[in-house]
PDB file of all heavy atoms in Angstrom:
ATOM      1  N   LYS A  48       7.478  -8.574 -63.154  1.00 82.00           N
ATOM      2  CA  LYS A  48       6.012  -8.618 -63.169  1.00 82.00           C
ATOM      3  C   LYS A  48       5.479  -8.655 -64.601  1.00 82.00           C
ATOM      4  O   LYS A  48       4.470  -9.310 -64.875  1.00 82.00           O
ATOM      5  CB  LYS A  48       5.448  -7.437 -62.399  1.00 82.00           C
ATOM      6  CG  LYS A  48       5.675  -7.567 -60.902  1.00 82.00           C
ATOM      7  CD  LYS A  48       5.200  -6.350 -60.162  1.00 82.00           C
ATOM      8  CE  LYS A  48       5.414  -6.508 -58.686  1.00 82.00           C
ATOM      9  NZ  LYS A  48       6.638  -5.888 -58.211  1.00 82.00           N
ATOM     10  N   LEU A  49       6.159  -7.975 -65.510  1.00 83.00           N
ATOM     11  CA  LEU A  49       5.738  -8.029 -66.917  1.00 83.00           C
ATOM     12  C   LEU A  49       5.921  -9.434 -67.484  1.00 83.00           C
ATOM     13  O   LEU A  49       5.153  -9.864 -68.340  1.00 83.00           O
ATOM     14  CB  LEU A  49       6.514  -7.013 -67.749  1.00 83.00           C
ATOM     15  CG  LEU A  49       6.103  -5.563 -67.569  1.00 83.00           C
ATOM     16  CD1 LEU A  49       7.017  -4.645 -68.369  1.00 83.00           C
ATOM     17  CD2 LEU A  49       4.659  -5.346 -67.953  1.00 83.00           C
ATOM     18  N   LYS A  50       6.928 -10.137 -66.987  1.00 81.00           N
ATOM     19  CA  LYS A  50       7.150 -11.518 -67.435  1.00 81.00           C
ATOM     20  C   LYS A  50       5.961 -12.406 -67.071  1.00 81.00           C
ATOM     21  O   LYS A  50       5.563 -13.273 -67.840  1.00 81.00           O
ATOM     22  CB  LYS A  50       8.439 -12.065 -66.835  1.00 81.00           C
ATOM     23  CG  LYS A  50       8.858 -13.401 -67.413  1.00 81.00           C
ATOM     24  CD  LYS A  50      10.204 -13.805 -66.875  1.00 81.00           C
ATOM     25  CE  LYS A  50       9.978 -14.829 -65.793  1.00 81.00           C
ATOM     26  NZ  LYS A  50      11.207 -15.387 -65.245  1.00 81.00           N
ATOM     27  N   TYR A  51       5.370 -12.165 -65.902  1.00 77.00           N
ATOM     28  CA  TYR A  51       4.191 -12.929 -65.506  1.00 77.00           C
ATOM     29  C   TYR A  51       3.032 -12.701 -66.471  1.00 77.00           C
ATOM     30  O   TYR A  51       2.245 -13.597 -66.739  1.00 77.00           O
ATOM     31  CB  TYR A  51       3.721 -12.536 -64.095  1.00 77.00           C
ATOM     32  CG  TYR A  51       4.545 -13.121 -62.988  1.00 77.00           C
ATOM     33  CD1 TYR A  51       5.309 -12.305 -62.171  1.00 77.00           C
ATOM     34  CD2 TYR A  51       4.554 -14.480 -62.734  1.00 77.00           C
ATOM     35  CE1 TYR A  51       6.066 -12.826 -61.142  1.00 77.00           C
ATOM     36  CE2 TYR A  51       5.311 -15.017 -61.715  1.00 77.00           C
ATOM     37  CZ  TYR A  51       6.058 -14.182 -60.920  1.00 77.00           C
ATOM     38  OH  TYR A  51       6.803 -14.706 -59.914  1.00 77.00           O
ATOM     39  N   VAL A  52       2.919 -11.476 -66.978  1.00 78.00           N
ATOM     40  CA  VAL A  52       1.820 -11.146 -67.890  1.00 78.00           C
ATOM     41  C   VAL A  52       2.103 -11.676 -69.293  1.00 78.00           C
ATOM     42  O   VAL A  52       1.228 -12.217 -69.951  1.00 78.00           O
ATOM     43  CB  VAL A  52       1.569  -9.629 -67.916  1.00 78.00           C
ATOM     44  CG1 VAL A  52       0.554  -9.258 -68.968  1.00 78.00           C
ATOM     45  CG2 VAL A  52       1.111  -9.156 -66.545  1.00 78.00           C
ATOM     46  N   VAL A  53       3.346 -11.527 -69.741  1.00 80.00           N
ATOM     47  CA  VAL A  53       3.702 -11.964 -71.089  1.00 80.00           C
ATOM     48  C   VAL A  53       3.627 -13.479 -71.208  1.00 80.00           C
ATOM     49  O   VAL A  53       3.194 -14.014 -72.230  1.00 80.00           O
ATOM     50  CB  VAL A  53       5.109 -11.448 -71.466  1.00 80.00           C
ATOM     51  CG1 VAL A  53       5.589 -12.044 -72.766  1.00 80.00           C
ATOM     52  CG2 VAL A  53       5.090  -9.939 -71.557  1.00 80.00           C
ATOM     53  N   LEU A  54       4.022 -14.175 -70.170  1.00 77.00           N
ATOM     54  CA  LEU A  54       3.985 -15.640 -70.154  1.00 77.00           C
ATOM     55  C   LEU A  54       3.078 -16.120 -69.022  1.00 77.00           C
ATOM     56  O   LEU A  54       3.555 -16.676 -68.031  1.00 77.00           O
ATOM     57  CB  LEU A  54       5.398 -16.200 -69.970  1.00 77.00           C
ATOM     58  CG  LEU A  54       6.437 -15.751 -70.983  1.00 77.00           C
ATOM     59  CD1 LEU A  54       7.825 -16.147 -70.544  1.00 77.00           C
ATOM     60  CD2 LEU A  54       6.107 -16.303 -72.355  1.00 77.00           C
ATOM     61  N   PRO A  55       1.757 -15.941 -69.150  1.00 68.00           N
ATOM     62  CA  PRO A  55       0.875 -16.282 -68.022  1.00 68.00           C
ATOM     63  C   PRO A  55       0.866 -17.763 -67.667  1.00 68.00           C
ATOM     64  O   PRO A  55       0.633 -18.126 -66.532  1.00 68.00           O
ATOM     65  CB  PRO A  55      -0.507 -15.815 -68.491  1.00 68.00           C
ATOM     66  CG  PRO A  55      -0.410 -15.681 -69.958  1.00 68.00           C
ATOM     67  CD  PRO A  55       1.022 -15.435 -70.289  1.00 68.00           C
ATOM     68  N   ARG A  56       1.154 -18.626 -68.616  1.00 67.00           N
ATOM     69  CA  ARG A  56       1.179 -20.067 -68.324  1.00 67.00           C
ATOM     70  C   ARG A  56       2.427 -20.463 -67.554  1.00 67.00           C
ATOM     71  O   ARG A  56       2.457 -21.496 -66.914  1.00 67.00           O
ATOM     72  CB  ARG A  56       1.119 -20.867 -69.629  1.00 67.00           C
ATOM     73  CG  ARG A  56      -0.082 -20.557 -70.473  1.00 67.00           C
ATOM     74  CD  ARG A  56      -1.227 -21.455 -70.102  1.00 67.00           C
ATOM     75  NE  ARG A  56      -2.316 -21.248 -71.036  1.00 67.00           N
ATOM     76  CZ  ARG A  56      -3.512 -20.876 -70.671  1.00 67.00           C
ATOM     77  NH1 ARG A  56      -3.778 -20.676 -69.409  1.00 67.00           N
ATOM     78  NH2 ARG A  56      -4.472 -20.719 -71.554  1.00 67.00           N
ATOM     79  N   ALA A  57       3.467 -19.652 -67.632  1.00 61.00           N
ATOM     80  CA  ALA A  57       4.736 -19.975 -66.986  1.00 61.00           C
ATOM     81  C   ALA A  57       4.822 -19.450 -65.559  1.00 61.00           C
ATOM     82  O   ALA A  57       5.848 -19.594 -64.923  1.00 61.00           O
ATOM     83  CB  ALA A  57       5.891 -19.409 -67.806  1.00 61.00           C
ATOM     84  N   ARG A  58       3.775 -18.830 -65.068  1.00 59.00           N
ATOM     85  CA  ARG A  58       3.853 -18.262 -63.732  1.00 59.00           C
ATOM     86  C   ARG A  58       3.874 -19.363 -62.676  1.00 59.00           C
ATOM     87  O   ARG A  58       3.176 -20.362 -62.783  1.00 59.00           O
ATOM     88  CB  ARG A  58       2.738 -17.272 -63.463  1.00 59.00           C
ATOM     89  CG  ARG A  58       1.380 -17.790 -63.657  1.00 59.00           C
ATOM     90  CD  ARG A  58       0.403 -16.633 -63.670  1.00 59.00           C
ATOM     91  NE  ARG A  58      -0.814 -17.115 -64.267  1.00 59.00           N
ATOM     92  CZ  ARG A  58      -1.950 -17.223 -63.636  1.00 59.00           C
ATOM     93  NH1 ARG A  58      -2.046 -16.842 -62.398  1.00 59.00           N
ATOM     94  NH2 ARG A  58      -2.989 -17.693 -64.239  1.00 59.00           N
ATOM     95  N   VAL A  59       4.703 -19.149 -61.700  1.00 57.00           N
ATOM     96  CA  VAL A  59       4.896 -20.119 -60.637  1.00 57.00           C
ATOM     97  C   VAL A  59       4.091 -19.672 -59.424  1.00 57.00           C
ATOM     98  O   VAL A  59       4.008 -18.496 -59.120  1.00 57.00           O
ATOM     99  CB  VAL A  59       6.403 -20.208 -60.276  1.00 57.00           C
ATOM    100  CG1 VAL A  59       6.648 -21.258 -59.218  1.00 57.00           C
ATOM    101  CG2 VAL A  59       7.216 -20.498 -61.522  1.00 57.00           C
ATOM    102  N   GLU A  60       3.519 -20.618 -58.715  1.00 60.00           N
ATOM    103  CA  GLU A  60       2.770 -20.345 -57.483  1.00 60.00           C
ATOM    104  C   GLU A  60       1.704 -19.282 -57.693  1.00 60.00           C
ATOM    105  O   GLU A  60       1.545 -18.370 -56.881  1.00 60.00           O
ATOM    106  CB  GLU A  60       3.725 -19.920 -56.365  1.00 60.00           C
ATOM    107  CG  GLU A  60       4.708 -20.984 -55.971  1.00 60.00           C
ATOM    108  CD  GLU A  60       5.653 -20.491 -54.890  1.00 60.00           C
ATOM    109  OE1 GLU A  60       5.366 -19.458 -54.271  1.00 60.00           O
ATOM    110  OE2 GLU A  60       6.668 -21.146 -54.675  1.00 60.00           O
ATOM    111  N   LYS A  61       0.991 -19.367 -58.779  1.00 55.00           N
ATOM    112  CA  LYS A  61      -0.132 -18.464 -59.072  1.00 55.00           C
ATOM    113  C   LYS A  61       0.268 -16.996 -58.972  1.00 55.00           C
ATOM    114  O   LYS A  61      -0.404 -16.187 -58.354  1.00 55.00           O
ATOM    115  CB  LYS A  61      -1.308 -18.761 -58.155  1.00 55.00           C
ATOM    116  CG  LYS A  61      -1.848 -20.158 -58.336  1.00 55.00           C
ATOM    117  CD  LYS A  61      -3.046 -20.404 -57.469  1.00 55.00           C
ATOM    118  CE  LYS A  61      -3.583 -21.804 -57.716  1.00 55.00           C
ATOM    119  NZ  LYS A  61      -4.742 -22.109 -56.936  1.00 55.00           N
TER     120      LYS A  61
END
Side-chain angles (χ1 to χ4, degrees):
K48 289 176 179 97
L49 285 176
K50 189 174 101 176
Y51 283 114
V52 173
V53 172
L54 304 169
R56 303 271 187 238
R58 56 193 162 115
V59 183
E60 297 178 15
K61 298 183 178 181

